[in-house]
Amino acid sequence: MADSTFGPAGANADLECQIYVAAPSSDRLMERLAAVLNVSLGPDRVISYGCVEVEWDHNDYEGTNADVEFLDWYSLLVCQPRRAASTTAVASDTATVLEAVRETGYRAVPVCDYEDLLQKPGTEHRPT
């Protein structure tokens, strides 16, 4: 993947990543995530880590008994890249956020154009 940066038009939607999380509580998830990442939870309950901003959102598919298990999980973390962040930096910081979510004990699945870059060697892409 070629390294790119944002142009004057602003955010590049291709670098946004959604992480579905099997966590029933937004407060507890965000507090644990901030602690593992060793950052403060912002006043709007947003986590700034490296070149990404992480916000919690309710997964609109939750409770629909979707065919894919992770689509039925309650929590969704939206990782938005900061302006002028490189693809490499965004992928690296998002991978760290994903691993931190998993370190808190929650199952998590990323969905984005670069999700294959987020997996550590030997880990499953999707939970079984």
Side-chain angles (χ1 to χ4, degrees):
M1 174 183 274
D3 191 38
S4 62
T5 57
F6 297 116
N12 182 344
D14 291 343
L15 292 179
E16 177 183 297
C17 188
Q18 297 180 342
I19 301 174
Y20 291 83
V21 184
S25 166
S26 64
D27 291 340
R28 187 169 179 160
L29 170 61
M30 294 303 280
E31 289 167 3
R32 284 181 168 185
L33 181 58
V36 170
L37 291 171
N38 198 30
V39 297
S40 298
L41 190 55
D44 294 333
R45 313 239 2 116
V46 173
I47 294 174
S48 292
Y49 181 79
C51 65
V52 296
E53 299 283 325
V54 183
E55 290 185 66
W56 180 90
D57 198 3
H58 176 257
N59 173 15
D60 290 336
Y61 292 105
E62 188 255 343
T64 62
N65 296 319
D67 290 338
V68 181
E69 179 187 20
F70 73 87
L71 288 178
D72 206 33
W73 293 345
Y74 180 77
S75 294
L76 180 67
L77 296 178
V78 180
C79 300
Q80 290 280 347
R82 291 190 183 170
R83 185 176 195 87
S86 71
T87 302
T88 303
V90 171
S92 176
D93 290 345
T94 302
T96 300
V97 169
L98 175 63
E99 186 58 31
V101 170
R102 291 176 174 160
E103 284 180 30
T104 66
Y106 295 116
R107 293 178 295 156
V109 174
V111 176
C112 54
D113 288 346
Y114 55 93
E115 61 196 45
D116 292 340
L117 298 175
L118 304 179
Q119 304 299 322
K120 285 188 172 184
T123 60
E124 293 286 328
H125 171 69
R126 304 235 190 267
T128 57

